[in-house]
């Protein structure tokens, strides 16, 4: 064994405990032991001694091995439980094994005890590895089911979102060809609608590109200048319709340097702020976007607050779903908030939303600070 074993013995006879110790020592087992003989001592030793193996006699005054086995299961003990007792019937021994005991050794044949302990430990280790492998396989299978489902939905929705503006442009071009009048206003109207369709197509393509990058690229951790990232984001969105009417405020409390994936953070913040601009409340005179950032050694807490049109309560649980649109004002493929959630998941972060119609929306994110040393898997 690589480490010294901690063995807890449930035995009320000192001479029998001595025989067990001599047998293990003679066989070269590297171990320490603690002996108890009451329920209270047994429960306390499970918590404080934290044994690797339990060796239990069957019958003790006011306590027995079956009760001890039950306590082990309830406590979450993961090591082998081996019955070490006098003569018992084969039927009783089989019953103990069915209830969860790893093995049984007769006191008349203690020479078999060391091999019983090591075999049980190996079996437990193999079982633990098997369960971990099964869990990983289930996780991979669930991920594949999710990917296949999303792929089917992705192909259908994207084909529709790509073809719709193209068909609109084609129809407008055909109408323009059919118009014999030399009317500049009509042509201006056609060009405006063509421009709108092209913008819709461009937004869809941008969302698809962000989706692909997040799904396929590895997380790259480096120091992030959050102040600069926010300023660059607002600069990119400066010419977005309605942006000039919104007061933008950033509050930064950066107690320590922040390390994360700047590309994903940029996509996350860009989507949230562009949504705030897109879904502003036209009748509101004092439109605003407030961004509050607090960085400590564990994480960055980033809150985005606006006083836009808000999100109905019935829709709030669906806004991070692929292709979900809570309003017809959406011009993309409906991937924006889905990409936000997926990117945050890649960074092992969390996001919550609070919103009321006509009152505005608050997105609360918490992104781990990876301190430049490790990357999320």
């Amino acid at each position: 064994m690589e480490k010294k074993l901690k063995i807890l013995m449930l035995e009320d006879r000192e001479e029998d405990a001595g025989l067990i110790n001599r047998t293990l020592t003679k066989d070269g087992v590297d171990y320490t032991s603690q002996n108890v003989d009451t329920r209270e001592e047994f429960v306390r030793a499970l918590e404080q001694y934290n044994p690797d193996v339990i060796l239990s006699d069957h019958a003790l005054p006011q306590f027995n091995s079956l009760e001890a086995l039950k306590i082990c299961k309830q406590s979450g003990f993961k090591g082998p439980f081996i019955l070490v007792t006098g003569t018992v019937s084969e039927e009783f021994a089989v019953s103990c094994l069915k209830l969860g005991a790893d093995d049984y050794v007769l006191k008349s044949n203690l020479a078999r005890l060391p091999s019983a302990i090591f075999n049980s430990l190996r079996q437990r280790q193999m079982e633990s590895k098997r369960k971990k492998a099964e869990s990983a396989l289930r996780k991979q299978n669930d991920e594949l089911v999710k990917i296949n489902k999303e792929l089917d939905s992705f192909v259908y929705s994207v084909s529709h979102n790509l073809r719709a503006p193209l068909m609109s442009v084609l129809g407008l071009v055909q109408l323009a060809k059919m118009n014999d009048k030399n009317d500049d206003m009509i042509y201006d109207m056609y060009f405006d609608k063509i421009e709108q369709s092209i913008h819709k197509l461009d937004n869809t393509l941008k969302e698809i590109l962000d989706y692909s990058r997040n799904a396929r690229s590895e997380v790259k951790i480096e120091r992030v200048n959050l102040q600069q990232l926010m300023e660059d984001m607002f600069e990119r969105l400066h010419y977005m319709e309605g942006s000039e009417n919104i007061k933008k405020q950033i509050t930064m409390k950066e107690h320590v340097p922040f390390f994360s994936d700047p590309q994903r953070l940029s996509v996350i913040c860009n989507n949230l702020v562009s949504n705030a601009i897109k879904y502003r409340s036209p009748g509101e005179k004092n439109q605003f976007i407030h961004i509050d950032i607090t960085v400590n050694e564990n994480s960055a807490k980033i809150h985005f607050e606006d006083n836009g049109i808000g999100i109905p309560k019935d829709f709030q649980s669906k806004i991070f779903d692929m292709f979900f649109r809570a309003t017809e004002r959406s011009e993309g493929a409906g991937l924006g908030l889905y990409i936000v959630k997926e990117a945050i998941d890649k960074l092992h972060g969390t996001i919550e939303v609070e919103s009321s119609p006509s009152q505005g929306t608050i997105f609360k994110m918490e992104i781990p600070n990876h301190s430049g040393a490790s990357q999320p898997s």
Side-chain angles (χ1 to χ4, degrees):
M1 298 296 295
E2 295 181 358
K3 67 170 187 174
K4 182 173 287 191
L5 281 177
K6 296 171 71 176
I7 297 176
L8 176 60
M9 286 191 280
L10 185 56
E11 175 60 67
D12 64 331
R13 298 182 63 180
E14 289 186 13
E15 58 270 30
D16 286 351
L19 283 172
I20 292 171
N21 281 318
R22 281 195 293 274
T23 299
L24 297 177
T25 302
K26 182 180 178 181
D27 210 73
V29 179
D30 189 14
Y31 77 102
T32 61
S33 68
Q34 181 173 329
N35 189 41
V36 297
D37 60 6
T38 67
R39 177 194 294 270
E40 291 74 19
E41 289 176 340
F42 182 69
V43 172
R44 185 163 55 249
L46 273 177
E47 295 176 354
Q48 298 178 2
Y49 183 58
N50 193 23
D52 300 305
V53 180
I54 293 174
L55 306 179
S56 174
D57 194 2
H58 171 56
L60 295 92
Q62 301 178 342
F63 195 41
N64 64 47
S65 61
L66 298 182
E67 294 177 81
L69 184 56
K70 185 177 180 180
I71 290 171
C72 285
K73 287 185 176 181
Q74 292 172 343
S75 70
F77 176 68
K78 302 297 184 184
F81 183 100
I82 300 174
L83 191 64
V84 182
T85 187
T87 304
V88 294
S89 68
E90 186 174 337
E91 182 180 350
F92 175 79
V94 171
S95 175
C96 288
L97 294 176
K98 286 182 178 179
L99 290 172
D102 292 79
D103 204 345
Y104 72 96
V105 176
L106 297 179
K107 290 182 178 179
S108 59
N109 187 25
L110 286 179
R112 199 178 74 82
L113 183 58
S115 62
I117 291 174
F118 292 129
N119 287 338
S120 296
L121 284 169
R122 279 193 290 269
Q123 284 293 114
R124 288 278 180 161
Q125 290 171 353
M126 290 172 61
E127 181 68 11
S128 177
K129 289 179 181 179
R130 183 185 66 80
K131 288 182 177 179
K132 286 181 180 179
E134 287 180 351
S135 177
L137 189 60
R138 279 196 300 271
K139 185 177 180 181
Q140 289 178 347
N141 185 61
D142 291 343
E143 185 67 20
L144 284 173
V145 170
K146 175 177 177 284
I147 289 171
N148 286 333
K149 183 179 179 181
E150 289 177 351
L151 185 59
D152 290 340
S153 178
F154 184 81
V155 170
Y156 173 80
S157 297
V158 167
S159 62
H160 175 269
N161 284 306
L162 290 177
R163 292 191 75 243
L166 287 175
M167 292 302 101
S168 177
V169 170
L170 180 59
L172 290 167
V173 170
Q174 290 173 342
L175 282 174
K177 287 182 177 179
M178 292 169 58
N179 197 316
D180 294 331
K181 297 179 180 179
N182 187 18
D183 190 336
D184 290 342
M185 290 184 63
I186 291 178
Y187 283 109
D188 286 343
M189 179 189 71
Y190 289 154
F191 288 135
D192 286 343
K193 290 187 177 296
I194 288 172
E195 185 178 12
Q196 290 173 13
S197 293
I198 291 172
H199 281 310
K200 285 184 179 181
L201 182 58
D202 185 49
N203 286 331
T204 296
L205 292 173
K206 285 178 180 177
E207 289 182 351
I208 293 171
L209 185 59
D210 286 340
Y211 168 79
S212 177
R213 283 174 176 167
N214 182 65
R216 297 180 181 278
S217 63
E218 295 295 325
V219 173
K220 296 181 179 180
I221 299 298
E222 58 186 77
R223 183 169 179 176
V224 181
N225 185 332
L226 287 168
Q227 183 71 41
Q228 188 64 50
L229 186 145
M230 296 297 164
E231 291 175 1
D232 290 346
M233 173 192 63
F234 280 132
E235 181 64 27
R236 286 194 300 272
L237 298 173
H238 178 70
Y239 297 103
M240 188 174 177
E241 182 183 353
S243 175
E244 70 280 1
N245 299 321
I246 299 179
K247 180 181 178 181
K248 306 168 186 70
Q249 180 181 354
I250 302 172
T251 302
M252 184 82 64
K253 298 174 185 176
E254 195 168 5
H255 304 297
V256 295
F258 181 57
F259 290 85
S260 188
D261 186 326
Q263 177 61 39
R264 283 183 169 83
L265 281 174
S266 180
V267 169
I268 291 166
C269 297
N270 188 80
N271 272 290
L272 292 177
V273 172
S274 63
N275 272 3
I277 296 172
K278 195 182 304 178
Y279 304 123
R280 65 196 180 279
S281 183
E284 176 63 49
K285 292 183 180 179
N286 300 312
Q287 300 173 17
F288 67 78
I289 299 173
H290 292 169
I291 302 176
D292 185 81
I293 302 173
T294 301
V295 179
N296 58 39
E297 60 183 9
N298 296 316
S299 67
K301 295 180 180 179
I302 309 174
H303 293 183
F304 288 80
E305 181 179 1
D306 66 62
N307 59 344
I309 63 174
I311 305 168
K313 188 174 181 179
D314 291 345
F315 291 160
Q316 289 178 23
S317 63
K318 305 175 184 177
I319 61 172
F320 297 113
D321 292 350
M322 181 181 275
F323 303 120
F324 179 77
R325 295 174 177 178
T327 171
E328 292 300 319
R329 288 171 64 174
S330 176
E331 295 181 347
L335 285 170
L337 289 179
Y338 171 82
I339 293 168
V340 167
K341 182 64 168 61
E342 290 291 296
I344 289 174
D345 287 346
K346 285 273 190 177
L347 298 176
H348 294 183
T350 60
I351 184 168
E352 299 176 353
V353 62
E354 297 175 4
S355 187
S356 299
S358 304
Q359 298 299 314
T361 302
I362 303 175
F363 285 99
K364 297 181 178 180
M365 297 188 299
E366 185 166 4
I367 309 294
N369 188 350
H370 294 285
S371 302
S374 62
Q375 298 188 16
S377 59

